[in-house]
Coordinates of all heavy atoms in Angstrom, one line a residue:
I1376 N -93.2 -51.6 -104.9 CA -92.4 -52.8 -105.4 C -92.1 -52.5 -106.9 O -91.0 -52.7 -107.3 CB -93.2 -54.1 -105.2 CG1 -93.2 -54.4 -103.7 CG2 -92.5 -55.2 -106.0 CD1 -94.1 -55.6 -103.4
S1377 N -93.1 -52.0 -107.6 CA -92.9 -51.8 -109.0 C -91.9 -50.6 -109.2 O -91.0 -50.8 -110.1 CB -94.3 -51.3 -109.7 OG -94.1 -51.0 -111.0
N1378 N -92.0 -49.6 -108.4 CA -91.0 -48.5 -108.5 C -89.6 -49.0 -108.1 O -88.6 -48.6 -108.8 CB -91.4 -47.3 -107.6 CG -92.6 -46.6 -108.1 OD1 -93.0 -46.7 -109.3 ND2 -93.2 -45.8 -107.2
A1379 N -89.5 -49.8 -107.1 CA -88.2 -50.3 -106.7 C -87.6 -51.2 -107.8 O -86.4 -51.1 -108.1 CB -88.3 -51.1 -105.4
M1380 N -88.4 -52.0 -108.4 CA -87.9 -52.8 -109.5 C -87.4 -52.0 -110.7 O -86.4 -52.3 -111.3 CB -89.0 -53.8 -109.9 CG -89.2 -54.9 -108.9 SD -90.5 -56.1 -109.2 CE -90.0 -56.8 -110.7
A1381 N -88.2 -50.9 -111.0 CA -87.8 -50.0 -112.1 C -86.5 -49.3 -111.8 O -85.6 -49.2 -112.6 CB -88.9 -49.0 -112.3
H1382 N -86.3 -48.9 -110.5 CA -85.0 -48.3 -110.1 C -83.9 -49.2 -110.2 O -82.8 -48.9 -110.7 CB -85.1 -47.7 -108.7 CG -85.8 -46.4 -108.5 ND1 -87.1 -46.3 -108.4 CD2 -85.2 -45.2 -108.5 CE1 -87.4 -45.0 -108.3 NE2 -86.3 -44.3 -108.4
A1383 N -84.1 -50.5 -109.8 CA -83.0 -51.5 -109.8 C -82.6 -51.8 -111.3 O -81.4 -51.9 -111.6 CB -83.5 -52.8 -109.1
D1384 N -83.6 -51.8 -112.2 CA -83.3 -52.0 -113.6 C -82.5 -50.9 -114.2 O -81.5 -51.1 -114.9 CB -84.6 -52.3 -114.4 CG -84.3 -52.8 -115.8 OD1 -83.5 -53.8 -115.9 OD2 -84.8 -52.3 -116.7
R1385 N -82.9 -49.7 -113.8 CA -82.1 -48.5 -114.3 C -80.7 -48.4 -113.8 O -79.8 -48.1 -114.5 CB -82.9 -47.2 -114.0 CG -84.2 -47.1 -114.8 CD -84.9 -45.8 -114.5 NE -84.1 -44.6 -114.8 CZ -84.4 -43.5 -114.2 NH1 -85.5 -43.3 -113.4 NH2 -83.7 -42.4 -114.4
I1386 N -80.5 -48.9 -112.5 CA -79.2 -48.9 -111.9 C -78.4 -49.9 -112.7 O -77.2 -49.7 -113.0 CB -79.3 -49.3 -110.4 CG1 -79.9 -48.2 -109.6 CG2 -77.9 -49.7 -109.9 CD1 -80.3 -48.5 -108.2
R1387 N -79.0 -51.1 -113.0 CA -78.3 -52.1 -113.8 C -77.8 -51.6 -115.1 O -76.7 -51.8 -115.5 CB -79.2 -53.4 -114.0 CG -78.5 -54.5 -114.7 CD -79.5 -55.6 -115.1 NE -80.6 -55.1 -115.9 CZ -80.5 -54.9 -117.3 NH1 -79.3 -55.0 -117.9 NH2 -81.5 -54.4 -118.0
L1388 N -78.7 -50.8 -115.8 CA -78.3 -50.3 -117.1 C -77.2 -49.2 -117.0 O -76.3 -49.2 -117.8 CB -79.6 -49.7 -117.7 CG -80.6 -50.6 -118.2 CD1 -81.9 -49.9 -118.6 CD2 -80.1 -51.5 -119.3
E1389 N -77.3 -48.4 -116.0 CA -76.2 -47.4 -115.8 C -74.9 -48.0 -115.5 O -73.8 -47.6 -116.1 CB -76.6 -46.4 -114.7 CG -77.7 -45.5 -115.0 CD -77.5 -44.5 -116.2 OE1 -76.3 -44.3 -116.6 OE2 -78.4 -43.9 -116.7
L1390 N -74.9 -49.1 -114.7 CA -73.6 -49.7 -114.4 C -73.1 -50.5 -115.6 O -71.9 -50.6 -115.8 CB -73.8 -50.7 -113.2 CG -74.1 -50.0 -111.8 CD1 -74.3 -51.0 -110.7 CD2 -72.9 -49.1 -111.4
A1391 N -74.0 -51.1 -116.4 CA -73.6 -51.7 -117.6 C -72.9 -50.7 -118.6 O -71.9 -51.0 -119.2 CB -74.8 -52.4 -118.3
C1392 N -73.5 -49.5 -118.7 CA -72.9 -48.5 -119.6 C -71.5 -48.1 -119.0 O -70.6 -48.0 -119.8 CB -73.8 -47.3 -119.6 SG -75.3 -47.5 -120.6
A1393 N -71.4 -47.9 -117.7 CA -70.2 -47.5 -117.1 C -69.1 -48.5 -117.4 O -68.0 -48.2 -117.7 CB -70.3 -47.2 -115.6
S1394 N -69.5 -49.8 -117.2 CA -68.6 -50.9 -117.4 C -68.1 -51.0 -118.9 O -67.0 -51.2 -119.1 CB -69.3 -52.2 -117.0 OG -68.4 -53.3 -117.2
A1395 N -69.1 -50.8 -119.8 CA -68.7 -50.8 -121.2 C -67.7 -49.8 -121.6 O -66.7 -50.0 -122.3 CB -70.0 -50.7 -122.1
F1396 N -67.9 -48.5 -121.1 CA -67.0 -47.5 -121.4 C -65.6 -47.7 -120.7 O -64.6 -47.5 -121.3 CB -67.5 -46.1 -120.9 CG -68.6 -45.5 -121.8 CD1 -69.8 -45.2 -121.4 CD2 -68.2 -45.2 -123.1 CE1 -70.8 -44.7 -122.2 CE2 -69.1 -44.6 -124.0 CZ -70.4 -44.4 -123.5
A1397 N -65.7 -48.2 -119.4 CA -64.4 -48.5 -118.7 C -63.6 -49.6 -119.4 O -62.4 -49.6 -119.4 CB -64.7 -48.8 -117.3
G1398 N -64.3 -50.5 -119.9 CA -63.7 -51.7 -120.6 C -62.9 -51.3 -121.8 O -62.0 -52.1 -122.3
K1399 N -63.1 -50.1 -122.4 CA -62.4 -49.7 -123.5 C -61.0 -49.1 -123.2 O -60.2 -48.9 -124.0 CB -63.2 -48.7 -124.3 CG -64.5 -49.3 -124.9 CD -65.1 -48.3 -125.9 CE -66.4 -48.9 -126.4 NZ -66.3 -50.1 -127.1
H1400 N -60.8 -48.9 -121.9 CA -59.5 -48.4 -121.4 C -59.0 -47.1 -122.2 O -57.8 -47.0 -122.5 CB -58.4 -49.5 -121.4 CG -58.8 -50.7 -120.7 ND1 -58.8 -50.8 -119.3 CD2 -59.2 -51.9 -121.1 CE1 -59.2 -52.0 -118.9 NE2 -59.5 -52.7 -120.0
D1401 N -59.9 -46.3 -122.5 CA -59.6 -45.0 -123.2 C -59.8 -43.8 -122.2 O -60.9 -43.6 -121.8 CB -60.5 -44.9 -124.4 CG -60.3 -43.7 -125.3 OD1 -59.5 -42.8 -124.8 OD2 -60.8 -43.6 -126.4
P1402 N -58.8 -43.1 -121.9 CA -58.9 -42.0 -121.0 C -59.9 -40.9 -121.4 O -60.5 -40.2 -120.6 CB -57.5 -41.4 -120.9 CG -56.6 -42.5 -121.3 CD -57.4 -43.3 -122.3
Q1403 N -60.1 -40.9 -122.7 CA -61.1 -39.9 -123.2 C -62.5 -40.3 -122.8 O -63.4 -39.5 -122.9 CB -61.0 -39.8 -124.7 CG -59.7 -39.1 -125.2 CD -59.6 -39.0 -126.7 OE1 -60.4 -39.6 -127.4 NE2 -58.8 -38.1 -127.1
L1404 N -62.8 -41.5 -122.4 CA -64.1 -42.0 -122.0 C -64.3 -41.9 -120.5 O -65.3 -42.3 -120.0 CB -64.3 -43.4 -122.5 CG -64.3 -43.6 -124.0 CD1 -64.5 -45.1 -124.4 CD2 -65.4 -42.8 -124.7
D1405 N -63.3 -41.4 -119.7 CA -63.4 -41.3 -118.3 C -64.6 -40.5 -117.9 O -65.3 -40.8 -116.9 CB -62.2 -40.7 -117.7 CG -61.0 -41.7 -117.7 OD1 -61.2 -42.9 -118.0 OD2 -59.9 -41.2 -117.4
W1406 N -64.9 -39.4 -118.6 CA -66.1 -38.6 -118.3 C -67.4 -39.4 -118.4 O -68.3 -39.3 -117.6 CB -66.2 -37.4 -119.2 CG -67.3 -36.5 -118.9 CD1 -67.3 -35.4 -118.0 CD2 -68.7 -36.6 -119.3 NE1 -68.5 -34.8 -117.9 CE2 -69.4 -35.5 -118.7 CE3 -69.4 -37.4 -120.2 CZ2 -70.8 -35.3 -118.9 CZ3 -70.7 -37.2 -120.4 CH2 -71.4 -36.1 -119.8
D1407 N -67.5 -40.2 -119.4 CA -68.7 -41.1 -119.6 C -68.8 -42.1 -118.5 O -69.9 -42.3 -118.0 CB -68.6 -41.8 -121.0 CG -68.6 -40.9 -122.1 OD1 -69.6 -40.3 -122.4 OD2 -67.5 -40.7 -122.7
V1408 N -67.7 -42.7 -118.1 CA -67.7 -43.6 -116.9 C -68.2 -42.9 -115.7 O -69.1 -43.4 -115.0 CB -66.3 -44.2 -116.7 CG1 -66.3 -45.1 -115.4 CG2 -65.9 -45.1 -117.9
A1409 N -67.7 -41.7 -115.4 CA -68.1 -41.0 -114.2 C -69.5 -40.6 -114.3 O -70.2 -40.7 -113.3 CB -67.2 -39.7 -114.1
Y1410 N -70.0 -40.2 -115.5 CA -71.4 -39.8 -115.6 C -72.3 -40.9 -115.3 O -73.3 -40.8 -114.5 CB -71.6 -39.3 -117.1 CG -73.1 -39.0 -117.4 CD1 -73.6 -37.8 -117.1 CD2 -73.9 -40.0 -117.9 CE1 -75.0 -37.5 -117.3 CE2 -75.3 -39.7 -118.1 CZ -75.8 -38.5 -117.9 OH -77.1 -38.2 -118.1
H1411 N -72.1 -42.1 -115.8 CA -72.9 -43.3 -115.6 C -72.8 -43.8 -114.2 O -73.8 -44.2 -113.6 CB -72.7 -44.4 -116.6 CG -73.1 -44.0 -118.0 ND1 -74.5 -43.9 -118.3 CD2 -72.5 -43.7 -119.1 CE1 -74.6 -43.6 -119.6 NE2 -73.4 -43.4 -120.1
M1412 N -71.6 -43.7 -113.6 CA -71.5 -44.1 -112.2 C -72.3 -43.1 -111.2 O -72.9 -43.6 -110.3 CB -70.0 -44.1 -111.8 CG -69.2 -45.2 -112.4 SD -69.8 -46.9 -112.0 CE -69.5 -46.9 -110.3
Q1413 N -72.2 -41.8 -111.5 CA -73.0 -40.9 -110.7 C -74.5 -41.1 -110.9 O -75.2 -41.0 -109.9 CB -72.6 -39.4 -111.1 CG -73.4 -38.4 -110.3 CD -73.1 -38.4 -108.8 OE1 -72.1 -39.0 -108.4 NE2 -74.0 -37.8 -108.1
A1414 N -74.9 -41.4 -112.1 CA -76.3 -41.7 -112.4 C -76.8 -42.9 -111.5 O -77.8 -42.9 -110.9 CB -76.6 -41.9 -113.8
A1415 N -75.9 -43.9 -111.5 CA -76.2 -45.1 -110.7 C -76.3 -44.8 -109.2 O -77.2 -45.3 -108.5 CB -75.2 -46.2 -111.0
R1416 N -75.4 -43.9 -108.7 CA -75.4 -43.5 -107.3 C -76.7 -42.8 -107.0 O -77.4 -43.1 -106.0 CB -74.3 -42.6 -107.0 CG -72.9 -43.3 -106.9 CD -71.8 -42.3 -106.4 NE -70.6 -42.9 -106.7 CZ -69.8 -42.7 -107.7 NH1 -70.1 -41.8 -108.7 NH2 -68.6 -43.3 -107.8
L1417 N -77.1 -41.9 -107.9 CA -78.4 -41.1 -107.6 C -79.6 -42.1 -107.6 O -80.5 -41.9 -106.8 CB -78.5 -40.0 -108.7 CG -77.5 -38.9 -108.6 CD1 -77.6 -38.0 -109.8 CD2 -77.6 -38.2 -107.3
L1418 N -79.6 -43.0 -108.6 CA -80.7 -44.0 -108.6 C -80.7 -44.9 -107.4 O -81.8 -45.2 -106.9 CB -80.6 -44.8 -109.9 CG -80.9 -44.1 -111.2 CD1 -80.5 -44.9 -112.4 CD2 -82.4 -43.8 -111.3
L1419 N -79.5 -45.2 -106.9 CA -79.4 -46.1 -105.7 C -80.0 -45.3 -104.5 O -80.8 -45.8 -103.7 CB -78.0 -46.5 -105.4 CG -77.8 -47.4 -104.2 CD1 -78.6 -48.7 -104.3 CD2 -76.3 -47.6 -104.0

């Protein structure tokens, strides 16, 4: 349960980072969005 909660929190953080980068609508940040989305997928 503790490990699952830690994973869920890390997923939330990765998605928040991806969302923040995507919200800037800057094509130069696409790599950062993809990086954090992939990290969230792996954590999921």
Side-chain angles (χ1 to χ4, degrees):
I1376 293 169
S1377 178
N1378 288 344
M1380 289 175 60
H1382 277 87
D1384 192 49
R1385 289 180 58 202
I1386 291 168
R1387 181 190 60 78
L1388 291 172
E1389 290 296 345
L1390 292 175
C1392 287
S1394 179
F1396 281 120
K1399 296 192 183 295
H1400 304 287
D1401 183 346
Q1403 292 182 342
L1404 298 176
D1405 286 350
W1406 184 90
D1407 298 286
V1408 173
Y1410 175 86
H1411 289 288
M1412 291 299 294
Q1413 180 62 20
R1416 285 184 195 99
L1417 293 173
L1418 287 166
L1419 181 61

